[in-house]
Amino acid sequence: MSIEPAAAVPVLLLSVRDEYAGRRWAPPGRHWPAQPSAVGGLDLVAGGTWLAVEPGGADAGPVAACLLNGFGTPAPAEARLSRGELPLLAVRGGRLGDLDFDRYDPFHLVVVRPSGARVLSWGGSGSRPAELELPTGLSTVLNDGPEGLAESRTASERIRTLMAARAAHFRARFTAEPRPEPRPGPATAEEAWGGWLPIAAGDGLALDDPAALVQRREFGDGRIWGSSSISLLALGAGTVRYDFAAVPAEPDGCEGWRRVEL
């Protein structure tokens, strides 16, 4: 996440979706009749999404919401609601503070507007929801929360080490490249995002590199977990641009992208 209030395009968001390979999904579109203007990828198992975008209209600016799974106490199975409904609720202006939090597994929900971004974190039963406004500059939101500092975090030293390596590598790489100003015009993803595009696509790291952003892990019992798609989102006053790719196969990361129509 990059927030620069004085820039022509003040908010830039990179989201990489990680999931088990067998979980079926559909690429971004208008999948929800009850929210016909909302755009996002569709989880074909539970019907929700990991990233929703509401382009806005004459009286309302664009808003997006991105979901990450958190660590903590799971909700009771008999009462559990899908976390995939949360981005859709957020972009339609739902009152997130009124949620029955105990019915959701732990999560971090990033809500993004041209004015900035807030993160709502929930660690499960026994915890309290927490909200944080992201500061100007580059921020990372991990499964351990903003900058890995959520109250409820993983107990695995290995997972903490991997997340820290990823955050350190990509913060340095994005900082070293000029910040792009993607516009909603006809430019290709490569033209819009410049030197950030191949970094967002994995920066050439092997899928099993400790710092890999685009990754793949095999658990030895037939289960494969890893990155399935990448989203790049730019929000400005009255404007939004959304570029999407199923994990690019090309080493330079510049192939396989499509601009999502909003």
Side-chain angles (χ1 to χ4, degrees), residues 69-90:
N69 294 346
F71 295 101
T73 306
E78 67 277 7
R80 181 178 295 127
L81 296 175
S82 171
R83 291 170 290 191
E85 69 181 26
L86 297 174
L88 294 166
L89 175 63

Side-chain angles (χ1 to χ4, degrees), residues 61-181:
V63 58
C66 178
L67 178 73
L68 294 86
N69 294 346
F71 295 101
T73 306
E78 67 277 7
R80 181 178 295 127
L81 296 175
S82 171
R83 291 170 290 191
E85 69 181 26
L86 297 174
L88 294 166
L89 175 63
V91 300
R92 71 171 180 259
R95 292 176 57 86
L96 298 174
D98 293 340
L99 290 173
D100 185 354
F101 284 93
D102 284 325
R103 300 190 67 184
Y104 295 94
D105 287 344
F107 65 82
H108 305 287
L109 183 68
V110 187
V111 182
V112 183
R113 293 180 171 85
S115 58
R118 295 185 67 83
V119 183
L120 173 64
S121 295
W122 167 244
S125 181
S127 68
R128 292 195 297 180
E131 280 196 273
L132 176 70
E133 184 85 22
L134 293 181
T136 296
L138 283 172
S139 295
T140 59
V141 182
L142 311 166
N143 299 106
D144 265 353
E147 307 301 343
L149 297 175
E151 182 176 344
S152 295
R153 299 192 291 273
T154 179
S156 168
E157 182 65 33
R158 177 176 177 273
I159 293 175
R160 280 200 302 272
T161 299
L162 291 173
M163 288 192 291
R166 188 178 313 142
H169 176 91
F170 284 91
R171 184 188 298 276
R173 293 289 292 120
F174 283 118
T175 299
E177 287 288 332
R179 186 182 190 272
E181 292 189 351

Side-chain angles (χ1 to χ4, degrees), residues 43-61:
D43 175 15
L44 292 169
V45 176
T49 188
W50 56 96
L51 174 65
V53 181
E54 173 55 67
D59 299 323

